[in-house]
């Protein structure tokens, strides 16, 4: 049988760890876990890069561990299911509402003992309130959202989603061709028929007005990934874009003289980033230590300082690149409309029909 690094156990960690999580000195934890491996999935791309530098590397420096992060999108659940129950491909995975729903259905996540994690006392209540019964699994690190990106040459600021429909940028707009459900959230936010993005959670017939609103646009091109979005904007093929918060900070850091990004005044659609402990992990105690570390103020502040994701703790300082960062639970509820677990249940039931309908919208908005 081929030797797998996941089969190499660190016996000392299993002996000492239960007594130290969230309580003992760092030196005691370092002695228990030094040299032990841990695999944590973060979102591929800029999120993974930020997570590695701001979270993983300081964790290893603090505890002498060999934790690493690998990138993923929506394949994590299928990878865990396909692996032996006692030998999962990773120990902890990031999970938005879609991944959480799919993983809980397959019973691949483990419940969290919050008594071992002091950081929960500082978390915005919004995270638990929007989570439902799934709150028993994992820890809420933060979340991501949709941002608006505009070229300064247009004289237009990213202060309203309505700017997508401005005649001055007709033929110069772009949205995501792949994750089309986020595109539908933009006309849903602007609609006053239902609160937040609730218009998205209906039958294909009920979503038809949202598709028709998108079809009023003339797109430069629908992008398929962040690299293509950047190229469209930098080459002036597009001047107004919907982009993800995971990409916003890095893009503006590099190109802020030419572009501006923000969450518009109407608020935005969002997802949360919970980190879930995978069933069968052979590094369960180290996983507990890492999840507690994710909830520490220092850890979350360090990540926030290099990101435009929002964090779960309420005691963080707004970074210079995000002056209107949501400081209170009221700010969270006002700014972010969550694509919830219940929302995914409804949306997923109509996936094939909505996907086919979106392909028609993409064709209509880019023809001619």
């Amino acid at each position: 049988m081929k030797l797998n690094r996941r089969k190499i156990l660190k016996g000392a960690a299993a002996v000492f760890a239960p007594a130290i999580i969230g309580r003992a000195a760092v030196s005691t934890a370092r002695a228990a876990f030094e040299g032990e491996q841990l695999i944590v999935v973060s979102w591929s791309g800029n999120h993974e890069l930020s997570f590695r530098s701001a979270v993983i590397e300081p964790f290893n420096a603090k505890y002498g561990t060999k934790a690493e992060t690998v990138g993923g999108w929506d394949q994590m659940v299928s990878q865990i299911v396909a692996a032996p129950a006692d030998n999962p491909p990773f120990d902890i995975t990031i999970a938005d509402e879609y991944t959480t729903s799919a993983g809980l259905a397959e019973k691949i996540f483990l419940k969290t003992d919050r008594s071992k994690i002091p950081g929960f006392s500082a978390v915005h209540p919004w995270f638990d309130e929007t989570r439902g019964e799934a709150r028993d699994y994992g820890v809420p690190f933060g979340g991501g959202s949709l941002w608006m990106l505009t070229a300064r040459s247009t004289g237009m600021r990213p202060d309203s989603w309505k700017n997508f429909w401005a005649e001055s940028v007709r033929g110069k707009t772009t949205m995501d061709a792949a994750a089309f459900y986020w595109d539908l959230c933009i006309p849903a936010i602007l609609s006053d028929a239902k609160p937040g993005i609730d218009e998205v959670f209906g039958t294909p017939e009920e979503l038809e007005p949202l598709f028709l609103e998108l079809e009023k646009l003339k797109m430069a091109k629908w992008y398929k990934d962040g690299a293509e979005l950047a190229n469209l904007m930098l080459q002036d093929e597009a001047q107004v874009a919907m982009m993800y918060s995971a990409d916003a900070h890095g893009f503006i850091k590099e190109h802020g003289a030419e572009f501006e990004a923000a969450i518009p005044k109407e608020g935005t659609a969002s997802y949360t980033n919970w980190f879930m402990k995978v069933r069968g992990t052979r590094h369960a105690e180290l996983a507990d230590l890492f999840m507690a570390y994710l909830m520490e103020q220092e850890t979350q502040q360090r990540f926030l300082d290099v990101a435009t994701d929002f964090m779960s703790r309420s005691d963080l300082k707004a970074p210079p690149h995000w002056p209107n960062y949501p400081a209170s639970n009221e700010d969270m509820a006002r700014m972010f409309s969550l694509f919830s677990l219940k929302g995914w249940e409804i949306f997923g039931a109509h996936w094939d029909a909505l996907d086919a309908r979106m392909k028609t919208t993409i064709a209509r908005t880019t023809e001619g």
Side-chain angles (χ1 to χ4, degrees):
M1 182 173 61
K2 183 179 179 180
L3 182 64
N4 187 316
R5 70 182 179 83
R6 307 285 296 168
K7 297 182 180 296
I8 301 175
L9 301 178
K10 298 290 183 179
V15 174
F16 293 105
I20 67 172
I21 302 300
R23 290 195 291 272
V26 170
S27 59
T28 305
R30 188 179 183 94
F33 296 111
E34 189 166 10
E36 185 169 353
Q37 297 173 319
L38 189 78
I39 300 178
V40 183
V41 179
S42 52
W43 299 126
S44 294
N46 288 320
H47 185 276
E48 180 186 358
L49 296 176
S50 298
F51 193 78
R52 180 176 292 112
S53 63
V55 179
I56 293 291
E57 291 175 1
F59 180 78
N60 286 334
K62 185 174 184 178
Y63 293 109
T65 50
K66 293 183 178 179
E68 59 181 287
T69 186
V70 296
W73 281 117
D74 58 359
Q75 78 277 19
M76 290 87 79
V77 172
S78 60
Q79 288 177 331
I80 298 169
V81 171
D86 64 346
N87 190 28
F90 30 80
D91 306 288
I92 296 172
T93 183
I94 196 168
D96 60 357
E97 282 60 37
Y98 172 80
T99 309
T100 297
S101 178
L104 291 178
E106 295 286 353
K107 299 181 179 179
I108 59 171
F109 298 138
L110 300 178
K111 287 190 175 182
T112 300
D113 183 354
R114 293 192 176 192
S115 67
K116 297 179 180 179
I117 304 177
F120 267 100
S121 60
V123 171
H124 288 292
W126 180 85
F127 281 86
D128 273 354
E129 292 167 357
T130 58
R131 194 66 167 174
E133 294 181 0
R135 69 172 67 92
D136 293 337
Y137 299 82
V139 296
F141 186 60
S145 62
L146 309 185
W147 282 51
M148 187 176 182
L149 176 68
T150 57
R152 294 185 185 275
S153 61
T154 64
M156 179 182 293
R157 303 199 64 198
D159 55 2
S160 175
W161 292 115
K162 294 179 181 179
N163 291 339
F164 266 95
W165 286 264
E167 190 61 32
S168 61
V169 293
R170 183 169 176 78
K172 290 282 191 175
T173 57
T174 185
M175 293 183 186
D176 190 350
F180 69 91
Y181 36 89
W182 293 121
D183 304 318
L184 291 168
C185 289
I186 295 176
I189 290 170
L190 293 175
S191 169
D192 58 6
K194 294 182 180 181
I197 58 173
D198 284 358
E199 287 91 337
V200 177
F201 310 135
T203 65
E205 293 74 22
E206 291 171 327
L207 266 68
E208 184 62 15
L210 302 182
F211 286 106
L212 294 178
E213 281 301 307
L214 289 178
E215 288 178 7
K216 294 178 182 178
L217 298 171
K218 176 71 170 69
M219 292 288 189
K221 187 177 183 181
W222 293 77
Y223 65 83
K224 61 180 181 294
D225 55 38
E228 186 171 26
L229 166 60
N231 286 334
L232 287 169
M233 298 298 286
L234 294 174
Q235 295 173 12
D236 199 38
E237 291 183 55
Q239 296 176 328
V240 176
M242 179 273 283
M243 76 184 314
Y244 299 103
S245 58
D247 299 325
H249 177 255
F251 188 86
I252 294 304
K253 184 179 180 180
E254 293 292 325
H255 308 291
E258 301 171 77
F259 301 93
E260 185 178 4
I263 294 175
K265 61 186 179 184
E266 297 92 355
T268 192
S270 68
Y271 55 91
T272 56
N273 291 328
W274 289 60
F275 280 86
M276 314 289 271
K277 185 177 176 181
V278 178
R279 61 101 174 94
T281 172
R282 300 185 179 187
H283 304 276
E285 292 81 14
L286 181 55
D288 288 340
L289 179 66
F290 186 83
M291 291 169 77
Y293 165 83
L294 288 174
M295 300 301 289
E296 293 176 5
Q297 182 184 29
E298 182 181 4
T299 305
Q300 293 203 13
Q301 185 68 61
R302 191 164 50 240
F303 186 84
L304 177 60
D305 287 344
V306 294
T308 32
D309 279 2
F310 57 90
M311 310 308 295
S312 67
R313 290 188 64 111
S314 60
D315 55 357
L316 304 182
K317 181 181 178 181
H321 62 266
W322 195 347
N324 64 333
Y325 178 79
S328 67
N329 198 64
E330 292 71 25
D331 288 341
M332 301 287 292
R334 173 181 53 82
M335 292 177 66
F336 303 115
S337 293
L338 187 69
F339 206 115
S340 64
L341 276 80
K342 181 64 176 177
W344 270 114
E345 180 181 328
I346 298 169
F347 194 88
H350 305 291
W351 178 272
D352 290 342
L354 295 173
D355 183 45
R357 179 65 181 86
M358 189 61 183
K359 286 181 171 60
T360 299
T361 292
I362 291 174
R364 289 176 178 172
T365 53
T366 53
E367 64 186 6

